[in-house]
Amino acid sequence: MTVRENISYAAGAACRADLYLPEGKNFPLVVYFHGGGMEGGDKAEENIRAIARYAAANGVGFFSANYTLYPQARYPQFLEEAAKAVAYAFAHARQWGASNVYVSGQSAGAYIAMMLCFDGRYLRAEGVDPLAVKGWLIESAQQTVHFKVLRERGEDPRAERIDEAAPLYYVGEELRFTRLRLLCYEQDLACRLRQNELLYEAVLQFEPHAELSLEVLHGGHCRASTEAENGVYPFAEMLCVFVKEGQNG
């Protein structure tokens, strides 16, 4: 395994990523965005580092990217930065030995990943076709406008809003994406499970054959990526299975 830390993927103090590469060539590469409510979290948190090491040890590259947080952040800055991180991974994938690129995220990072998946303007602005992303693994994403974006607007962060800052806004006849798996929890944050169920059912109304799945897991918000079981975070295992299924599909 090769680890490179604090790679600058774009201008800006927060635009740094850690890269974990497995041995060999032609492996899948995951671009990952951490959670933390858009005001906390870091690529170097031990659970994320453990997930990254597990992925690399099991033949999956891992590009773990930070992004600007509140109070410095302003919408859509973090989406633009995340798109640059994905573009950087695409630009260097072959050099690193990777074959395909996947995108994943946890909580706030999952919201960011969902927005990149459903609103193709951000990736296309960086020269990346969203359909070039091989697959998306999304853990506990807010599918309405993120509560920090609502707070930035001066609105009550408990509100449910669907506009251009919400993944749900883009559900319709024109929406296209590659393989997408949604993870959520039985005791997730308020409204989070129902938001994901709504998005899942709404997408299938327009495209019944979409490569879309929703898995409801036991426990609370992001338990699989924050609580290890026998020394392994379940999310790390799920990620490797998801990616390898995509490679074989």
Side-chain angles (χ1 to χ4, degrees):
M1 179 189 311
T2 300
V3 179
R4 293 175 55 195
E5 296 181 343
N6 293 316
I7 296 170
S8 176
Y9 66 80
C15 297
R16 299 290 184 272
D18 293 344
L19 177 66
Y20 298 75
L21 297 178
E23 301 298 325
K25 297 290 184 182
N26 297 318
F27 50 81
L29 175 70
V30 175
V31 181
Y32 183 83
F33 301 106
H34 67 78
M38 219 76 80
E39 59 185 355
D42 189 270
K43 61 181 175 55
E45 290 182 351
E46 183 48 42
N47 64 315
I48 296 176
R49 292 171 60 87
I51 291 168
R53 290 192 296 265
Y54 181 95
N58 285 274
V60 177
F62 199 90
F63 189 67
S64 182
N66 277 355
Y67 48 90
T68 301
L69 302 173
Y70 287 99
Q72 286 75 31
R74 290 294 180 270
Y75 179 88
Q77 177 183 1
F78 35 83
L79 301 180
E80 295 166 344
E81 291 173 350
K84 291 179 186 297
V86 175
Y88 188 96
F90 268 100
H92 293 82
R94 182 170 297 182
Q95 171 190 332
W96 295 337
S99 55
N100 294 307
V101 175
Y102 295 74
V103 177
S104 182
Q106 170 206 68
S107 193
Y111 163 79
I112 288 173
M114 279 298 307
M115 286 295 294
L116 297 188
C117 181
F118 277 24
D119 185 356
R121 294 176 297 177
Y122 294 103
L123 287 178
R124 286 194 292 268
E126 301 301 326
V128 175
D129 180 354
L131 296 179
V133 176
K134 184 75 171 176
W136 308 76
L137 183 62
I138 307 296
E139 185 187 19
S140 288
Q142 183 162 356
Q143 305 292 3
T144 56
V145 178
H146 195 273
F147 65 88
K148 287 298 294 185
V149 177
L150 292 175
R151 185 169 293 165
E152 178 187 338
R153 295 174 177 176
E155 298 184 53
D156 190 323
R158 297 170 296 181
E160 300 292 322
R161 298 284 185 267
I162 299 175
D163 59 30
E164 290 189 354
L168 270 164
Y169 178 83
Y170 299 94
V171 175
E173 291 183 354
E174 303 302 318
L175 179 63
R176 297 290 183 272
F177 54 85
T178 52
R179 186 162 163 260
L180 171 61
R181 180 168 296 170
L182 306 172
L183 304 177
C184 218
Y185 295 84
E186 293 173 343
Q187 287 82 47
D188 216 308
L189 300 181
C191 302
R192 195 63 58 91
L193 175 56
R194 281 168 287 180
Q195 291 173 6
N196 280 269
E197 290 173 335
L198 173 59
L199 182 135
Y200 173 77
E201 294 177 10
V203 168
L204 294 182
Q205 289 289 319
F206 290 96
E207 181 46 72
H209 303 295
E211 290 191 80
L212 172 66
S213 59
L214 169 62
E215 186 172 355
V216 181
L217 306 173
H218 297 299
H221 183 64
C222 292
R223 183 194 61 81
S225 60
T226 57
E227 296 180 21
E229 297 178 3
N230 300 317
V232 176
Y233 290 91
F235 180 85
E237 298 175 311
M238 295 176 196
L239 177 68
C240 290
V241 169
F242 176 77
V243 167
K244 291 179 179 179
E245 287 174 350
Q247 293 293 97
N248 295 330

